[in-house]
Amino acid sequence: MPNHAALNNVEHRDLRIDTRRLAALGDDVMCAATFPAEFRNVQSHYPIVFRRTGEGAFQPVALFGFSEGDNLFLDGGHWDATYIPLAIERQPFLIGRDGEALTVHVDLDHPRTKAGQGEALFREHGGTTDYLERVTSVLLALHDGLASVPAFVDALQKHSLLESFVIDIELPGGAVNRFGGFHTIHEERLRALDAAALDELHRAGFLEPIYMAIASVSQFRALIERLNRRHAAGR
């Protein structure tokens, strides 16, 4: 159960955050939320797909694996990619509010917080550490980025640009796993849009992230190769 608290330099002066990349520290997830301004970085490593939230809205996510709790980028305390999505990097912190002001909150029951080791948040003689400064910038970028998602998704749906898909993954030994439940950009409908629709998407700043999401589909091949290597190694 999360235990969120507003971060302060009195109560949390000695708090340490374990920044290792381990399943036991909460990294055993198959995907993480992302947003249009992050697509350029995400597409270099991960497929970008869309899943429905509990409220029925579409949320773009960076895909790390093909089943819940399975992250194919975890490798012995190391995240095997040069870019980690901000929704992962920000753990165990989140944005809170104090009136109209945004504040940094921390989950005191998160395994990264409870480990009792790792990065300090406050300097011995006052001030915040470089690590906490980075956390703050990540949280603000994530907050602003996720706020842009509804308008982006609305534009995709206006032009019927989301389609469901299924992938059959052949594993070593011949077994086949079917992966579905997500959506991606419908390329044929995108190509069929007229100049006015494309100009509308461009002026809204959505055309570039659309093409980034399409480009990211090529990462499915690498992700499947990761899965096959894991099965071949008996893990």
Side-chain angles (χ1 to χ4, degrees):
M1 190 74 177
N3 179 17
H4 299 163
L7 191 67
N8 67 80
N9 61 1
V10 176
E11 294 177 86
H12 308 126
R13 180 184 61 185
D14 299 321
L15 196 63
R16 297 291 185 272
I17 306 299
D18 192 333
T19 58
R20 293 175 298 166
R21 292 295 160 190
L22 298 168
L25 295 178
D27 289 327
D28 54 345
V29 292
M30 70 176 292
C31 63
T34 184
F35 50 89
E38 193 183 29
F39 283 9
R40 179 179 291 273
N41 289 325
V42 169
Q43 62 84 31
S44 63
H45 297 286
Y46 318 101
I48 298 168
V49 294
F50 296 78
R51 76 183 311 177
R52 287 193 182 274
T53 66
E55 293 74 36
F58 281 105
Q59 169 66 53
V61 297
L63 198 64
F64 312 138
F66 295 106
S67 60
E68 293 294 343
D70 188 25
N71 184 343
L72 296 170
F73 288 85
L74 289 185
D75 185 14
H78 169 66
W79 187 293
D80 189 26
T82 56
Y83 182 79
I84 299 177
L86 299 187
I88 295 294
E89 187 180 351
R90 62 97 179 173
Q91 295 286 359
F93 300 96
L94 62 157
I95 286 281
R97 286 190 178 274
D98 182 5
E100 293 299 313
L102 298 177
T103 58
V104 176
H105 284 217
V106 61
D107 180 2
L108 296 175
D109 284 343
H110 194 281
R112 294 193 181 281
T113 308
K114 295 173 72 69
Q117 63 178 348
E119 296 282 349
L121 304 176
F122 300 101
R123 300 184 187 277
E124 184 179 354
H125 300 294
T128 57
T129 62
D130 292 343
Y131 171 70
L132 183 53
E133 292 293 331
R134 169 63 184 171
V135 165
T136 301
S137 68
V138 165
L139 288 173
L140 289 174
L142 188 60
H143 177 269
D144 292 343
L146 292 178
S148 73
V149 167
F152 178 63
V153 168
D154 284 348
L156 296 179
Q157 292 184 292
K158 175 182 177 180
H159 298 290
S160 301
L161 292 179
L162 290 176
E163 65 170 340
S164 60
F165 69 94
V166 172
I167 295 177
D168 287 328
I169 304 168
E170 185 173 348
L171 302 173
V176 176
N177 279 5
R178 173 157 288 194
F179 175 76
F182 293 83
H183 289 66
T184 189
I185 303 292
H186 196 301
E187 295 185 50
E188 290 183 8
R189 289 177 189 157
L190 177 64
R191 285 194 292 268
L193 292 180
D194 60 24
L198 290 172
D199 183 64
E200 177 187 322
L201 291 170
H202 172 67
R203 289 178 180 276
F206 297 151
L207 201 54
E208 180 179 300
I210 285 173
Y211 285 121
M212 291 295 168
I214 290 172
S216 78
V217 172
S218 65
Q219 299 298 342
F220 268 109
R221 183 187 300 264
L223 196 61
I224 291 170
E225 288 175 356
R226 287 177 181 271
L227 180 64
N228 285 332
R229 288 198 299 270
R230 178 170 293 183
H231 277 268
R235 291 182 289 163

